[in-house]
Amino acid sequence: MVPAAVTVEVHRVGPAGSLAADSQFGVALTTLWHAVSQAGGAVGFAPPVERPAVAAKAAPVVDDLRSGRAQGIALIAGHDLVGFGRLTPGTGITAHTGSITLVMIDPTRQGSGLGALLMNELMTLAAELGLERVELSIRDGHRLDGFYRRHGFVEWGRRPGWVRVADGDDRDEIFLWADPRSAR
Ligand SMILES: CC(C)(COP(=O)(O)OP(=O)(O)OC[C@H]1O[C@@H](n2cnc3c(N)ncnc32)[C@H](O)[C@@H]1OP(=O)(O)O)[C@@H](O)C(=O)NCCC(=O)NCCS
């Protein structure tokens, strides 16, 4: 449940969305992504994480959102970006599929239902785009199984020891898929 005192707006990011993928959004995404990564979130980094390294990864994400190659869902509270997720539709012979990546909620707001809201919006968007299969991958050991299963995702495979979280701590990368037409 979202706490009653917190009003969270949902925006789609990009050419057809209600939020522009501009430089201001790029700064906000970098701030959120850095905070989530520093807190140990499974979004491409392991702490300690330097902000410039995150900014370098955020720049092409913003470019893809601006061009429409990918679509974003942004959760905004006040002036803050408190949640983000990216949906990248396939092209050509995989145009009926999509990938969900960069699912993240501000560490101070995790565990209050915003992640479920974000996933609902991403799966609604995928269904609206006519996608029949969406995939994502998770690191083992992050309590994420139940979270994604509630949105219809099932495991189809894993890469053993693929993510080195720290020296001596290699985690499996687990691949999940769902049908967005029935998964919301
Ligand atoms: C995973 C994440 C998006 C979920 O968002 P959220 O707002 O915390 O999720 P909700 O409140 O809607 O649901 C909580 C569920 O997420 C799970 N969860 C995973 N990581 C969590 C965390 N750091 N804090 C709280 N819950 C977490 C909980 O176990 C809970 O599942 P359960 O109900 O089966 O116990 C969010 O915790 C996050 O940003 N984590 C760091 C980044 C990350 O690892 N992203 C996943 C990339 S694959």
Side-chain angles (χ1 to χ4, degrees), residues 80-161:
D80 297 330
L81 179 67
V82 298
F84 178 74
R86 174 176 64 173
L87 172 66
T88 308
T91 57
I93 58 172
T94 60
H96 61 298
T97 73
S99 299
I100 289 177
T101 44
L102 298 178
V103 173
M104 56 181 128
I105 298 295
D106 183 284
T108 64
R109 295 170 183 267
Q110 289 173 10
S112 61
L114 291 181
L117 171 66
L118 180 61
M119 282 307 298
N120 272 328
E121 295 291 334
L122 285 164
M123 295 303 269
T124 298
L125 175 59
E128 284 179 20
L129 293 173
L131 304 186
E132 298 169 21
R133 291 166 180 267
V134 291
E135 62 163 5
L136 56 79
S137 75
I138 62 177
R139 289 177 201 170
D140 205 1
H142 273 263
R143 298 187 297 143
L144 292 166
D145 270 25
F147 175 72
Y148 288 119
R149 201 173 300 122
R150 275 194 293 282
H151 295 276
F153 283 86
V154 292
E155 177 178 340
W156 62 266
R158 53 175 68 205
R159 297 200 282 197

Side-chain angles (χ1 to χ4, degrees), residues 163-171:
V163 182
R164 181 149 298 168
V165 174
D167 284 347
D169 185 4
D170 293 351
R171 308 281 179 85

